[in-house]
């Protein structure tokens, strides 16, 4: 993500604030800095957070609906405290994103009267608003891209709101800090065009879409024509062999511009050749059920993007 943002915003003055815990080594920090070494306009600062603060937070154990998500997802709830008071506004980006254009337009959006701005979640239609505890008409956003009004967060002491919800009503939290932010800021958010957080579900086939396609039809058309930030929201990421996202090629493009250009993408799930061939033989003899047919979920093909 960092490389793509830097390349496509090379004339902008950008400071990347990376929130880490003690698991990130000095060598890893140096490697991340090397990604930006070609542009003196861009710099990178690390902010250390105590990960033990989140040990008992909701949905981090066996009940976690997305096992690839760790307690690091909760770190963004501390941005107003972690970042200096002189910083009143930030753009937050998940690491499983690629930036294809300028973010100047996004940065200049006025959120002075909002806690944040974000894009509708690709699965908004199937979220449990009864559990969340508010009217579905207020919508539900994806927290992978956030334009955050830090001054607003500090003024209302947002951390106390987050912690009170998490401690008193953990049963309302399923999708980690994303649920926390949606509940706490249900009335204090500005919705952004889909191009700023172009999720997998925005190009799903109609029968697989978990979004109200009729309601968002025009937004989907416009975003598909000119997505700026690609968000790889599926379980299989572009660094996995199993990833079918037609925008995967852009991740590989920018990967080749880093010191990891020789990296070979791997399978998300372990592959055992012996088990594979044994299973094939048993299916030939009708001693094992056929493998389920994997349906290509997207409405566009690789050559269309």
């Amino acid at each position: 993500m960092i490389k793509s943002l830097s390349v496509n915003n090379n004339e902008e003055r950008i400071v990347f604030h990376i929130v880490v815990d003690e698991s990130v080594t000095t060598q890893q920090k140096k490697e991340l800095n090397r990604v930006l070494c070609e542009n003196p306009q861009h710099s990178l600062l690390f902010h250390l957070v105590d990960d033990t603060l989140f040990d008992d937070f909701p949905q981090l154990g066996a009940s976690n609906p997305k096992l690839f998500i760790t307690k690091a997802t909760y770190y963004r709830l501390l941005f107003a405290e972690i970042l200096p008071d002189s910083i009143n506004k930030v753009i937050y980006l998940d690491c499983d994103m690629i930036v294809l254009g300028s973010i100047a337009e996004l940065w200049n959006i006025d959120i002075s009267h909002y806690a944040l701005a974000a894009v509708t979640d690709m699965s908004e239609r199937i979220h449990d608003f009864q559990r969340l505890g508010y009217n579905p008409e207020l919508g539900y956003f994806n927290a992978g891209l956030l334009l955050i009004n830090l001054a607003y967060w500090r003024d209302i002491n947002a951390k106390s709101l987050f912690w009170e919800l998490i401690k008193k009503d953990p049963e309302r939290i399923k999708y980690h800090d994303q649920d926390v932010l949606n509940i706490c800021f249900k009335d204090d958010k500005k919705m952004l065009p889909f191009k700023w957080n172009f999720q997998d579900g925005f190009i799903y086939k109609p029968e697989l879409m978990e979004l109200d396609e009729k309601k968002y039809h025009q937004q989907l058309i416009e975003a598909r024509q000119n997505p700026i930030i690609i968000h790889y929201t599926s379980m299989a990421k572009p660094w996995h062999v199993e990833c079918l996202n037609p925008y995967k090629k852009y991740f590989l493009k920018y990967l080749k511009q880093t010191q990891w250009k020789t990296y070979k993408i791997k399978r998300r799930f372990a592959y055992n050749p012996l088990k594979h061939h044994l299973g094939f033989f048993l299916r030939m003899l009708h001693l094992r059920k056929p493998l389920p047919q994997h349906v290509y979920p997207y409405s566009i093909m690789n050559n269309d993007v």
Side-chain angles (χ1 to χ4, degrees):
M1 182 275 290
I2 294 176
K3 187 65 176 182
S4 66
L5 198 161
S6 178
V7 168
N8 291 302
N9 294 268
N10 61 339
E11 296 183 0
E12 302 288 344
R13 174 85 173 100
I14 299 177
V15 178
F16 293 83
H17 296 272
I18 312 296
V19 179
V20 299
D21 53 46
E22 291 184 347
S23 67
V24 178
T25 67
T26 300
Q27 180 59 34
Q28 288 170 333
K29 293 177 183 177
K30 289 180 179 178
E31 290 174 351
L32 283 174
N33 266 305
R34 283 180 58 196
V35 174
L36 301 176
C37 65
E38 297 175 0
N39 193 330
Q41 287 281 86
H42 299 166
S43 59
L44 197 153
L45 295 175
F46 291 94
H47 304 272
L48 184 66
V49 65
D50 179 5
D51 67 323
T52 62
L53 293 172
F54 309 94
D55 282 347
D56 60 346
F57 273 35
Q59 306 297 344
L60 291 175
S63 61
N64 191 340
K66 295 187 176 182
L67 295 177
F68 61 88
I69 292 180
T70 68
K71 58 184 167 183
T73 191
Y74 284 107
Y75 294 176
R76 68 191 123 183
L77 299 182
L78 292 177
F79 281 172
E81 291 193 352
I82 294 172
L83 299 177
D85 289 345
S86 58
I87 301 176
N88 293 320
K89 183 180 180 182
V90 292
I91 295 174
Y92 168 81
L93 292 162
D94 271 355
C95 62
D96 58 348
M97 289 179 149
I98 288 294
V99 180
L100 300 181
S102 170
I103 59 170
E105 178 189 344
L106 173 64
W107 176 254
N108 289 322
I109 292 174
D110 181 14
I111 56 167
S112 56
H113 300 295
Y114 299 93
L116 55 77
V119 173
T120 300
D121 187 67
M122 62 180 243
S123 299
E124 182 187 63
R125 182 169 55 83
I126 67 169
H127 279 291
D128 184 355
F129 285 92
Q130 184 173 355
R131 170 181 56 80
L132 293 167
Y134 66 87
N135 193 322
E137 293 299 317
L138 293 172
Y140 185 95
F141 60 82
N142 181 279
L145 176 285
L146 299 172
L147 181 60
I148 302 176
N149 184 345
L150 289 177
Y152 188 101
W153 283 31
R154 296 184 184 110
D155 286 345
I156 65 171
N157 193 7
K159 181 191 172 184
S160 67
L161 297 178
F162 302 151
W163 258 244
E164 182 179 10
L165 170 63
I166 292 167
K167 298 301 181 182
K168 289 187 176 180
D169 298 305
E171 68 281 355
R172 294 175 68 187
I173 311 302
K174 180 178 180 180
Y175 294 110
H176 312 97
D177 61 309
Q178 180 168 278
D179 276 355
V180 174
L181 292 168
N182 270 279
I183 293 170
C184 290
F185 298 140
K186 61 183 182 296
D187 297 309
D188 293 326
K189 60 180 181 285
K190 183 180 182 70
M191 302 311 296
L192 298 172
F194 287 8
K195 66 180 181 179
W196 296 117
N197 183 357
F198 194 72
Q199 303 152 59
D200 282 40
F202 292 169
I203 51 172
Y204 278 172
K205 293 176 179 177
E207 64 270 22
L208 300 176
M209 192 166 285
E210 297 173 340
L211 191 70
D212 187 339
E213 201 277 339
K214 184 177 180 180
K215 177 181 178 180
Y216 295 111
H217 181 72
Q218 189 58 38
Q219 282 207 64
L220 288 167
I221 290 176
E222 293 173 0
R224 289 166 182 168
Q225 292 172 344
N226 183 34
I228 304 297
I229 300 176
I230 306 298
H231 190 181
Y232 303 98
T233 48
S234 293
M235 297 282 280
K237 302 299 182 182
W239 50 89
H240 294 136
V241 172
E242 296 90 342
C243 178
L244 299 176
N245 190 311
Y247 290 92
K248 177 178 181 176
K249 63 183 180 182
Y250 292 110
F251 170 83
L252 299 176
K253 171 186 174 180
Y254 291 106
L255 177 67
K256 291 177 181 177
Q257 297 179 40
T258 72
Q259 61 267 38
W260 298 288
K261 58 187 175 183
T262 59
Y263 177 83
K264 302 296 184 183
I265 61 173
K266 297 178 173 60
R267 290 183 176 274
R268 184 175 183 273
F269 303 103
Y271 175 71
N272 185 315
L274 180 60
K275 286 185 177 180
H276 173 79
H277 291 297
L278 177 60
F280 177 78
F281 178 71
L282 292 174
R283 290 183 190 94
M284 289 287 289
L285 297 176
H286 303 288
L287 298 176
R288 181 176 288 185
K289 292 182 179 179
L291 288 172
Q293 294 295 314
H294 293 285
V295 178
Y296 182 74
Y298 302 108
S299 58
I300 61 176
M301 304 299 288
N302 290 315
N303 294 334
D304 296 330
V305 300

